[in-house]
Amino acid sequence: MLVAVCAAVISGAAHARNDVLTLPLGGIIGTDKATQALLKVPVYFSGQQHPAVTATWGEVTTSRKTNAFGKSDAEACQWVLLSSLKVLQEAAIKRGYDAVVNIRSNYENNEFSSATEFQCGAGAIMAGVALKGDLVKF
């Protein structure tokens, strides 16, 4: 009996879902939820227009996970995107910079650049977003 239970658990883990989704930024950026969750540090995804840069600190990265249980993939991914963006904003504040520009998805070290979309890993229990961005002064 114990062997059967262990085999079932191992088999389930081997088939765990980890889909990489490409979702629209417009579904969350600019919403009330985003306004409440994010800081007052501007964020610009790769390809988005921003003011002229006068100084650059360099690249920062973040990789965040959130509980996806009972949430749609889109809802979990949007929530963890906001969490990841907030980490980048906090890095800018900590170092005295004005904004984060050239933000790219970097889930499982696969870089994805878009001005309108982001990537998220979605599973049955967890969702994750990894981002890279440059801290700048305008």
Side-chain angles (χ1 to χ4, degrees):
M1 179 72 149
L2 180 60
V3 172
V5 171
C6 288
V9 169
I10 291 170
S11 174
H15 297 288
R17 187 171 69 95
N18 185 24
D19 300 332
V20 178
L21 307 176
T22 301
L23 300 169
L25 289 168
I28 189 64
I29 300 299
T31 66
D32 288 341
K33 188 176 188 177
T35 302
Q36 292 171 5
L38 296 177
L39 305 174
K40 299 292 184 208
V41 175
V43 294
Y44 299 91
F45 282 77
S46 180
Q48 292 180 334
Q49 295 292 323
H50 56 76
V53 173
T54 62
T56 302
W57 184 85
E59 186 177 87
V60 293
T61 62
T62 183
S63 180
R64 307 289 287 185
K65 301 269 187 200
T66 194
N67 179 346
F69 186 75
K71 299 179 182 100
S72 70
D73 287 348
E75 182 183 8
C77 287
Q78 289 171 348
W79 183 252
V80 75
L81 172 67
L82 294 178
S83 175
S84 296
L85 288 171
K86 189 171 180 179
V87 169
L88 297 179
Q89 291 175 314
E90 289 169 342
I93 290 169
K94 179 180 177 183
R95 292 170 178 87
Y97 281 75
D98 300 331
V100 185
V101 302
N102 194 30
I103 298 171
R104 290 104 54 218
S105 294
N106 194 41
Y107 190 74
E108 293 185 344
N109 294 312
N110 294 311
E111 193 168 305
F112 172 81
S113 297
S114 175
T116 59
E117 298 175 315
F118 72 101
Q119 288 190 328
C120 173
I125 300 172
M126 300 294 286
V129 167
L131 300 176
K132 292 180 176 184
D134 302 320
L135 305 184
V136 299
K137 289 186 181 184
F138 296 138

